[in-house]
Amino acid sequence: MGLGIRSTLLYANMALMACSLAVVSAVVLLRHLSVVQAVADREIEQVANDVAHRVSRFLENGPAVLLRVKYFTEHRDSILGDTDRMTGYLVSEARASPALTWVSVSSAGTGEFLGVTRRDGMLVLNRSDPRIDGGIAREWELRADGTRTPLETGPGVPYDPRGKAWFALGIDADEPRWTDAYEFAEGRPGISAVVGLRHPGTGGAAGVATADFHLSGIESFLADLRVGTGGRAAIVAPGSAGEPLVLGAGPDFPEELRAALSAAGGHSAGHSGGQFRATAGGVVVDSRVLAVGGGLRWRLLVMLPLADIEEPMWSATAAVLVTAGIFLAAGIVAATVIAHAISRPIRLMSRDLAAIGDLRFPRTGPVHSSIREIDAMARSLVRMKAALRSFSTYVPVDVVRRVLTSGQAAEPGGELRVLTILVSDLAGFTGIAEGMPPGKLVGYLGRYFGALERAVQDAGGVVDKFMGDGMLAFFNAPHRVRGHAARACEAALDAQRFLGLLDLEDGDAPPSRTRIGLATGEVLVGNIGTAQRLSYTVIGDAVNLASRLEMLNKAYGTGILASGEVRRTAGGGFEWRHLDRVTVPGRSEPVELYELLGRTGEVDGTTLMVRDLHEAALRHLVAGRFEEAAHGFRALLGKAPDDRPARYLLEHTVGMRAEPAGAAPSRDWRGVHVHRSKM
């Protein structure tokens, strides 16, 4: 016995419990990630504060030195007048501030320059004066005992500080200012703090004092600094050429951090102030302003891979996640098995029901389920498919599909609509039936009607009924069909082709030759009958005319005959022969009779020539020129002796000659061939 729905729901609840455990595990994981983020934030904050402190301490002495130099010079009678005293003061400042690379003063009036720098562990005095030696700088080593030793500096070049950018920045500055990073004369990048000097008496611009720093110290500090195990810090400083200078990103900078550094540097361009933090590519990037006295504002970037924090913490939550994963997997397996047991048969039955709603009945096997209720539904569905499959063979599928999609019960009623009617009949059926056993005859008719039905359905038509060896079909109902006359012509030609192929496949059976009549006109189409028994069919003059035209094929020896209305509305895709102008039993109005020869471009030249000769002779016949008509039909038979329509009309023409050759037609002649029997 299969499981009931109640048992199934019990198992579903068990699966829900497993999913709940999975949710708990997910919460633990999210909590783990939040802790990782918090630890990363604290690590970055500590490093950022440390870097800011170290860099500030490295540079902050520059503005203080300048303020002291400014005070010293502005309280003397001359800035550079007492070179020895000025040199001694600059040396004392350089020794008191080991981070300084240069400390100097320059005269605005004369261009004289006096500076002390560090070089290879010693202090060097550098002095130039445009009035002496063409401004070529001279240098002396300053020893601890106060003596000076001249240094060989090579040929040298003239030097005038007044043409430098730092001089222009500092000449009007009453408070220390910072230059952008630039390359010092010795080829190393650096930065200068500058301040303007004033004459003690007049207060006019007297010169500029500088405190210079090589940035290699900061570079080395940042290169050695580690954030976690794989993180780094870098500083983005504005450069004199407009390009930023990145400190700390030397050749050994990790490649996995360069992308984050580049992205953060570009983002920093739009954040001249404040702080922002983002995580990209598994790297936490913190960007903040590093401010130093004197207005220096750099951008400090701290990068920390999240893996540095996650790896040591992962073991703390791994056991929880593994345990939760085991229970989650068990829950998923249970839920999958239960869902499959429920959904698979329902899905298969839904597919079959969708096909049944479309009146398609796939021959699929019965669906089996371990759930009793679903198994019973599946067996009922199999029985319903078998019943509907049998029912669908008795009625047109399109008609039933229309009733199903409308959602309403079928009721008696109809509408007038222009349709194209196709009536067919099996030629020589009486003889075929006499020479064939009933069982074999049924199979033969099944193959014959199957070929006709296929041709009609392929062209968008509906087979209304089979009448003995005949068939009635129509086009443009129940659904409207564009070009329904042309569709009917296609179906007629395809029916003959399919029957020809059927004869080739079954060489022992008698040839299957069909005669087809086509007529287009307004008919009544709909549910005809009583409330208890209905038939979706067509009634009207066009139906009768199509039947008469099918019968006329026997007289003319043709395969497909159509009315002039069909010829007119079918379009230019076909070749026709204007066969005759006739009246048929039940109609007083004449009908232009056309033989459908084939599709345009597929009819051979001989057939088209016969068509042209026939239509020329027919024009004489309609006009009452019987001699000319008879001559034309005889000429046609001379070229195509087996053409039965021409032979039939020649006999009719000869019979119509009431007078000798050349006599006029009788007064009641209307050019119409009157057929008085139904044949």
Side-chain angles (χ1 to χ4, degrees):
M1 296 295 292
L3 295 173
I5 293 180
R6 180 179 297 178
S7 299
T8 303
L9 291 177
L10 177 61
Y11 284 112
N13 286 332
M14 294 175 60
L16 181 60
M17 292 175 60
C19 293
S20 299
L21 182 59
V23 171
V24 173
S25 301
V27 171
V28 172
L29 178 59
L30 292 175
R31 180 59 182 166
H32 164 82
L33 296 177
S34 65
V35 171
V36 168
Q37 189 67 48
V39 173
D41 290 345
R42 286 196 295 270
E43 180 83 12
I44 288 175
E45 195 70 26
Q46 181 179 350
V47 171
N49 292 337
D50 185 43
V51 172
H53 177 71
R54 293 283 297 271
V55 173
S56 295
R57 288 198 60 186
F58 182 77
L59 297 176
E60 66 186 2
N61 200 33
V65 168
L66 291 184
L67 291 176
R68 291 196 296 269
V69 172
K70 179 179 178 65
Y71 180 83
F72 178 81
T73 57
E74 291 182 353
H75 288 75
R76 300 295 183 271
D77 293 337
S78 175
I79 296 177
L80 297 179
D82 191 343
T83 303
D84 291 338
R85 190 173 182 183
M86 192 74 239
T87 300
Y89 181 76
L90 295 179
V91 169
S92 66
E93 288 290 350
R95 285 176 175 163
S97 304
L100 283 175
T101 302
W102 280 88
V103 58
S104 70
V105 292
S106 304
S107 172
T110 64
E112 183 180 357
F113 174 83
L114 183 65
V116 175
T117 184
R118 299 179 187 279
R119 185 183 305 159
D120 300 329
M122 64 179 179
L123 290 179
V124 176
L125 172 64
N126 184 291
R127 182 182 180 188
S128 66
D129 189 337
R131 300 168 301 178
I132 302 173
D133 297 334
I136 302 298
R138 292 175 295 163
E139 292 185 338
W140 295 265
E141 178 185 355
L142 300 175
R143 296 181 176 177
D145 58 4
T147 60
R148 304 177 186 177
T149 302
L151 296 177
E152 296 293 334
T153 59
V157 295
Y159 183 75
D160 189 339
R162 292 173 295 183
K164 303 300 181 181
W166 55 262
F167 190 94
L169 176 66
I171 190 66
D172 295 324
D174 291 328
E175 296 293 333
R177 294 183 183 178
W178 289 96
T179 67
D180 291 334
Y182 67 99
E183 189 174 283
F184 286 0
E186 55 267 35
R188 300 169 65 184
I191 189 170
S192 299
V194 297
V195 70
L197 305 176
R198 305 299 175 195
H199 283 290
T202 65
V208 175
T210 70
D212 303 339
F213 298 85
H214 278 150
L215 297 179
S216 56
I218 298 177
E219 182 83 25
S220 299
F221 161 66
L222 293 174
D224 295 337
L225 180 65
R226 294 295 181 269
V227 184
T229 58
R232 293 292 186 90
I235 290 176
V236 179
S240 58
E243 291 294 328
L245 178 66
V246 181
L247 305 177
D252 63 337
F253 197 79
E255 289 297 327
E256 59 270 20
L257 298 182
R258 287 195 180 275
L261 176 63
S262 177
H267 191 59
S268 299
H271 293 76
S272 58
Q275 175 184 355
F276 73 89
R277 184 173 296 171
T279 302
V283 178
V284 180
V285 181
D286 180 275
S287 175
R288 62 184 63 193
V289 174
L290 193 155
V292 179
L296 179 64
R297 296 175 66 84
W298 285 347
R299 178 63 65 172
L300 171 61
L301 302 174
V302 182
M303 288 152 284
L304 174 63
L306 278 176
D308 286 3
I309 306 299
E310 289 179 331
E311 288 177 1
M313 295 185 62
W314 183 253
S315 59
T317 53
V320 176
L321 292 176
V322 169
T323 303
I326 293 174
F327 280 95
L328 177 61
I332 290 175
V333 170
T336 301
V337 171
I338 296 171
H340 184 74
I342 297 175
S343 65
R344 179 181 177 276
I346 293 178
R347 186 176 65 253
L348 294 176
M349 288 190 294
S350 298
R351 184 189 63 189
D352 283 351
L353 287 171
I356 290 172
D358 236 0
L359 289 187
R360 293 182 290 107
F361 309 104
R363 296 184 178 275
T364 55
V367 177
H368 298 288
S369 174
S370 58
I371 302 174
R372 288 193 304 268
E373 291 82 356
I374 296 179
D375 195 63
M377 290 172 58
R379 291 196 299 271
S380 298
L381 179 62
V382 171
R383 292 193 297 271
M384 184 178 70
K385 279 198 303 183
L388 289 175
R389 186 184 297 112
S390 299
F391 172 72
S392 67
T393 61
Y394 288 94
V395 293
V397 174
D398 284 346
V399 175
V400 179
R401 186 177 292 122
R402 183 184 183 186
V403 173
L404 291 176
T405 56
S406 69
Q408 300 177 352
E411 297 179 352
E415 63 173 319
L416 292 176
R417 186 185 296 185
V418 176
L419 271 61
T420 298
I421 310 299
L422 184 151
V423 175
S424 73
D425 187 70
L426 178 59
F429 175 69
T430 302
I432 293 173
E434 290 176 351
M436 190 177 295
K440 187 175 181 180
L441 180 61
V442 171
Y444 173 79
L445 283 176
R447 292 190 296 273
Y448 166 75
F449 284 132
L452 295 182
E453 184 179 39
R454 175 187 168 193
V456 170
Q457 290 181 347
D458 288 352
V462 174
V463 175
D464 183 353
K465 60 176 69 75
F466 298 108
M467 305 163 293
D469 63 325
M471 182 189 74
L472 170 63
F474 51 84
F475 297 79
N476 203 32
H479 302 293
R480 296 191 179 274
V481 178
R482 292 174 60 89
H484 53 87
R487 295 285 191 93
C489 294
E490 293 283 354
L493 293 173
D494 284 343
Q496 291 186 331
R497 180 169 62 87
F498 292 160
L499 291 175
L501 296 175
L502 189 64
D503 291 340
L504 293 177
E505 294 174 0
D506 190 2
D508 296 334
S512 303
R513 293 190 299 272
T514 188
R515 295 189 290 259
I516 297 175
L518 299 172
T520 296
E522 187 176 63
V523 298
L524 177 65
V525 57
N527 298 320
I528 309 300
T530 68
Q532 288 73 34
R533 185 179 181 86
L534 296 175
S535 175
Y536 190 87
T537 187
V538 290
I539 299 174
D541 182 62
V543 180
N544 298 329
L545 177 59
S547 178
R548 301 293 183 267
L549 296 183
E550 179 274 316
M551 295 177 183
L552 286 179
N553 280 293
K554 186 174 182 180
Y556 287 92
T558 53
I560 306 173
L561 289 181
S563 67
E565 185 66 15
V566 175
R567 165 71 176 85
R568 183 182 65 82
T569 57
F574 305 94
E575 295 289 353
W576 302 86
R577 169 158 51 163
H578 189 188
L579 201 64
D580 202 352
R581 191 179 187 205
V582 303
T583 59
V584 297
R587 286 178 61 100
S588 59
E589 292 298 322
V591 177
E592 300 296 339
L593 190 62
Y594 286 87
E595 179 188 9
L596 178 59
L597 302 177
R599 297 175 180 85
T600 301
E602 298 180 3
V603 181
D604 61 89
T606 300
T607 302
L608 295 178
M609 178 199 69
V610 170
R611 184 267 311 274
D612 294 340
L613 293 175
H614 181 100
E615 291 182 348
L618 180 64
R619 286 192 291 271
H620 290 301
L621 177 60
V622 171
R625 298 188 292 271
F626 301 123
E627 286 296 331
E628 290 85 344
H631 177 74
F633 288 126
R634 289 191 182 97
L636 189 158
L637 290 171
K639 296 181 179 295
D642 297 330
D643 187 66
R644 291 185 58 188
R647 187 170 300 281
Y648 178 72
L649 285 179
L650 175 61
E651 295 174 358
H652 171 66
T653 302
V654 172
M656 291 298 299
R657 288 186 302 178
E659 299 295 336
S666 61
R667 292 181 179 180
D668 60 351
W669 175 251
R670 295 184 300 157
V672 177
H673 189 168
V674 179
H675 290 273
R676 303 187 184 279
S677 67
K678 296 184 180 181
M679 302 184 185

